Amino acid sequence: MKSTQPVYQEKKKTRKSPDRVRRFWLRIAAVLLCLLALGSMFVVASHDRIEQWEYPRKYSELVEYYAGKYGLDERMLYAVIRTESNFDPEAQSNVDARGLMQITEITFDWIKSKIAPTEDLTFDDLYDPETNIRFGSYFFSYCLDRYDNDLATAAAAYHSGGGTVDELLQNDEYTDDGVTLKEFPYTQMRRYVSKVTSAYKRYCEIYDS
């Protein structure tokens, strides 16, 4: 006898339960949150790399050594080197200041008499990074000591000379205490001081974090 049952029966369509739908969308949300977090980390890392590229710490071994030797904040040295030469050891100004920290011949001779009187060094040796950072670190530490460890006033003296700064300190218009400057009346001096102090602030922000 032939069967009366159909050869093929269509399966009934089942509706997904609300719990399954909710779990599906939770998984999608979790994946999207992970992607967002990874994207944020990539953006932060890229931003940090750009800032470190703009404010590098080249010649770090020399900077750290001579900062320690002369009692300096190494970030100040990086700020001065970045401002003076942008880390170019072959830099030379229109007044023949040389090297990473842009030291003139008269300043070189004075520093040599203080820290290397018997050494066989010449003005050309300032193109050597170690000699330049050694001499520049000493001179900047001298400026800081002379002007009460005030970065702005020391930077002005490093750029324009202690004699110029001393003359300004005789004028109450530019100082409150006769030791540090509150105003920098000369355009080049003012720009230089602004660059050094701004760079120092950025070095502190970037590398302290």
Side-chain angles (χ1 to χ4, degrees), residues 76 143-144 147-155 179-181 184:
M76 289 184 182
C143 293
L144 281 170
Y147 300 107
D148 201 31
N149 289 310
D150 182 71
L151 175 59
T153 308
V179 179
T180 60
L181 292 172
F184 304 90

Short mmCIF file of all heavy atoms in Angstrom, two decimals, residues 76 143-144 147-155 179-181 184:
data_model
loop_
_atom_site.label_atom_id
_atom_site.label_comp_id
_atom_site.label_asym_id
_atom_site.label_seq_id
_atom_site.Cartn_x
_atom_site.Cartn_y
_atom_site.Cartn_z
N MET A 76 66.53 71.85 29.55
CA MET A 76 66.95 73.21 29.17
C MET A 76 68.00 73.14 28.05
O MET A 76 67.95 73.93 27.11
CB MET A 76 67.54 73.93 30.38
CG MET A 76 66.52 74.33 31.42
SD MET A 76 67.31 75.28 32.76
CE MET A 76 65.91 75.54 33.84
N CYS A 143 75.47 81.24 33.15
CA CYS A 143 74.40 82.24 33.01
C CYS A 143 73.30 82.01 34.03
O CYS A 143 72.78 82.97 34.63
CB CYS A 143 73.83 82.20 31.59
SG CYS A 143 74.96 82.74 30.30
N LEU A 144 72.92 80.77 34.25
CA LEU A 144 71.89 80.47 35.25
C LEU A 144 72.35 80.88 36.64
O LEU A 144 71.59 81.50 37.40
CB LEU A 144 71.54 78.98 35.22
CG LEU A 144 70.62 78.52 34.10
CD1 LEU A 144 70.57 76.99 34.06
CD2 LEU A 144 69.20 79.07 34.29
N TYR A 147 72.24 84.66 37.15
CA TYR A 147 70.94 85.32 37.17
C TYR A 147 69.89 84.51 37.92
O TYR A 147 68.77 84.32 37.46
CB TYR A 147 70.50 85.65 35.73
CG TYR A 147 71.47 86.57 35.04
CD1 TYR A 147 72.31 86.09 34.03
CD2 TYR A 147 71.61 87.90 35.43
CE1 TYR A 147 73.24 86.93 33.41
CE2 TYR A 147 72.53 88.75 34.82
CZ TYR A 147 73.34 88.25 33.82
OH TYR A 147 74.27 89.08 33.22
N ASP A 148 70.29 84.03 39.09
CA ASP A 148 69.35 83.44 40.06
C ASP A 148 68.55 82.27 39.48
O ASP A 148 67.39 82.08 39.82
CB ASP A 148 68.40 84.54 40.55
CG ASP A 148 67.75 84.17 41.88
OD1 ASP A 148 68.39 83.47 42.68
OD2 ASP A 148 66.59 84.58 42.11
N ASN A 149 69.18 81.50 38.59
CA ASN A 149 68.55 80.31 37.99
C ASN A 149 67.26 80.64 37.24
O ASN A 149 66.38 79.76 37.10
CB ASN A 149 68.27 79.24 39.05
CG ASN A 149 69.55 78.59 39.54
OD1 ASN A 149 70.38 78.16 38.76
ND2 ASN A 149 69.71 78.53 40.85
N ASP A 150 67.15 81.85 36.78
CA ASP A 150 65.97 82.23 35.99
C ASP A 150 66.23 81.91 34.52
O ASP A 150 67.14 82.47 33.89
CB ASP A 150 65.69 83.73 36.15
CG ASP A 150 64.44 84.15 35.40
OD1 ASP A 150 63.33 83.78 35.83
OD2 ASP A 150 64.58 84.84 34.37
N LEU A 151 65.45 80.99 33.96
CA LEU A 151 65.70 80.50 32.60
C LEU A 151 65.64 81.62 31.58
O LEU A 151 66.50 81.72 30.69
CB LEU A 151 64.68 79.41 32.24
CG LEU A 151 64.74 78.89 30.81
CD1 LEU A 151 66.11 78.30 30.47
CD2 LEU A 151 63.63 77.86 30.58
N ALA A 152 64.65 82.48 31.67
CA ALA A 152 64.48 83.53 30.67
C ALA A 152 65.66 84.50 30.68
O ALA A 152 66.20 84.87 29.62
CB ALA A 152 63.17 84.27 30.91
N THR A 153 66.08 84.94 31.86
CA THR A 153 67.20 85.88 31.96
C THR A 153 68.50 85.21 31.53
O THR A 153 69.33 85.83 30.84
CB THR A 153 67.33 86.41 33.39
OG1 THR A 153 66.07 86.94 33.82
CG2 THR A 153 68.37 87.52 33.46
N ALA A 154 68.69 83.95 31.93
CA ALA A 154 69.88 83.22 31.49
C ALA A 154 69.91 83.06 29.98
O ALA A 154 70.98 83.20 29.36
CB ALA A 154 69.93 81.85 32.17
N ALA A 155 68.77 82.78 29.39
CA ALA A 155 68.71 82.66 27.93
C ALA A 155 69.05 83.98 27.26
O ALA A 155 69.75 84.02 26.24
CB ALA A 155 67.31 82.20 27.51
N VAL A 179 67.91 91.49 39.57
CA VAL A 179 68.64 90.24 39.32
C VAL A 179 68.11 89.50 38.10
O VAL A 179 68.87 88.87 37.37
CB VAL A 179 68.56 89.33 40.57
CG1 VAL A 179 69.31 88.01 40.32
CG2 VAL A 179 69.12 90.03 41.79
N THR A 180 66.82 89.58 37.90
CA THR A 180 66.19 88.91 36.75
C THR A 180 65.37 89.91 35.94
O THR A 180 64.87 90.90 36.49
CB THR A 180 65.27 87.76 37.21
OG1 THR A 180 64.23 88.29 38.05
CG2 THR A 180 66.06 86.72 37.99
N LEU A 181 65.25 89.61 34.66
CA LEU A 181 64.49 90.49 33.77
C LEU A 181 63.03 90.07 33.69
O LEU A 181 62.73 88.88 33.61
CB LEU A 181 65.10 90.47 32.37
CG LEU A 181 66.49 91.10 32.21
CD1 LEU A 181 67.03 90.82 30.80
CD2 LEU A 181 66.44 92.60 32.47
N PHE A 184 61.96 92.17 27.96
CA PHE A 184 63.09 92.00 27.04
C PHE A 184 62.88 92.97 25.87
O PHE A 184 62.16 92.66 24.92
CB PHE A 184 63.17 90.54 26.58
CG PHE A 184 63.27 89.58 27.72
CD1 PHE A 184 62.12 89.05 28.31
CD2 PHE A 184 64.51 89.23 28.25
CE1 PHE A 184 62.21 88.17 29.38
CE2 PHE A 184 64.60 88.36 29.33
CZ PHE A 184 63.45 87.83 29.88
#
